[in-house]
Amino acid sequence: VGDDQFVFQSFMRGHSVYAIDLVPEALAEIRKQFDNQDGWRREETETGSGVRWTHPSGQVVLLEGDILQRRKELERQFDVVYDKDSFGALQKDLRLPYCERMSEWLKEDGIVYLEVKNKDTGRENGPPFHIEEQDIMSSWGASFEYIKGIGEVYPLRMAGFAQMGHLLKHVK
């Protein structure tokens, strides 16, 4: 999640947002985007699976923890998942468990907006890994329909890399 604006911009447009990141510094960067940075409530989760930060409005929850962990309280809670580079940073053996979590958490007909890297060289080396539609569907395919490849969504400062967008629909 890090310095990405998605959480803040979604909140500013009236949406409730739940974000998960393993890196405490990434969530600290998100909290800095909001006014009233000191108003966030910090608490250990009931299951001991991480630290939950809740915005004073109650509309934004940031969970510091492992996204691969099962969380019954999140099942069928979300209309949309925004994944900026998480899937493409995972080793191949972790991709299917990741997609299983997303399937558990998304409502039926929920949407995944996925951003991944395409690379000119070193496609098998990562992270980030070079990800194309067939890589996506080999992990997401059991519960998701591929809607559309958006193509390059914005230029990157890293030579030989392109930031690509993809849309999926939860069908299970």
Side-chain angles (χ1 to χ4, degrees):
V1 194
D3 61 356
D4 192 81
Q5 290 282 314
F6 185 81
V7 170
F8 179 71
Q9 293 300 326
S10 296
F11 166 76
M12 292 301 293
R13 285 158 180 77
H15 299 283
S16 295
V17 184
Y18 196 104
I20 301 175
D21 203 304
L22 189 59
V23 181
E25 294 81 10
L27 296 177
E29 286 301 312
I30 291 220
R31 291 192 305 275
K32 288 179 186 176
Q33 296 172 18
F34 291 79
D35 293 333
N36 192 11
Q37 294 174 32
D38 297 330
W40 290 82
R41 186 175 72 246
R42 181 191 189 279
E43 59 188 341
E44 296 288 330
T45 60
E46 302 82 30
T47 60
S49 61
V51 175
R52 181 183 302 117
W53 294 88
T54 305
H55 186 265
S57 69
Q59 281 188 258
V60 180
V61 175
L62 307 177
L63 180 65
E64 184 181 305
D66 185 354
I67 199 161
L68 298 178
Q69 184 171 358
R70 287 191 189 277
R71 301 175 195 281
K72 293 284 281 176
E73 71 275 13
L74 299 183
E75 288 182 8
R76 304 290 173 254
Q77 295 299 305
F78 304 107
D79 298 306
V80 176
V81 166
Y82 169 69
D83 175 336
K84 184 179 183 300
D85 295 319
S86 294
F87 179 77
L90 293 172
Q91 299 292 330
K92 288 183 180 181
D93 64 325
L94 297 177
R95 292 177 187 169
L96 188 56
Y98 175 83
C99 296
E100 289 170 353
R101 290 303 81 72
M102 298 307 106
S103 180
E104 292 167 2
W105 299 346
L106 266 172
K107 295 177 182 176
E108 191 170 331
D109 295 329
I111 299 294
V112 174
Y113 173 69
L114 183 66
E115 284 189 15
V116 295
K117 301 283 191 286
N118 280 180
K119 304 186 325 185
D120 291 344
T121 61
R123 292 176 171 217
E124 291 298 318
N125 301 323
F129 294 96
H130 177 88
I131 303 288
E132 295 184 2
E133 179 181 349
Q134 63 268 22
D135 303 306
I136 293 167
M137 293 315 292
S138 69
S139 297
W140 293 86
S143 301
F144 293 86
E145 170 188 332
Y146 189 85
I147 297 174
K148 181 178 183 175
I150 297 172
E152 188 171 9
V153 290
Y154 51 85
L156 296 173
R157 294 184 190 147
M158 301 182 301
F161 286 78
Q163 189 75 11
M164 310 301 283
H166 300 270
L167 286 172
L168 309 170
K169 179 181 176 185
H170 190 235
V171 294
K172 188 175 178 183

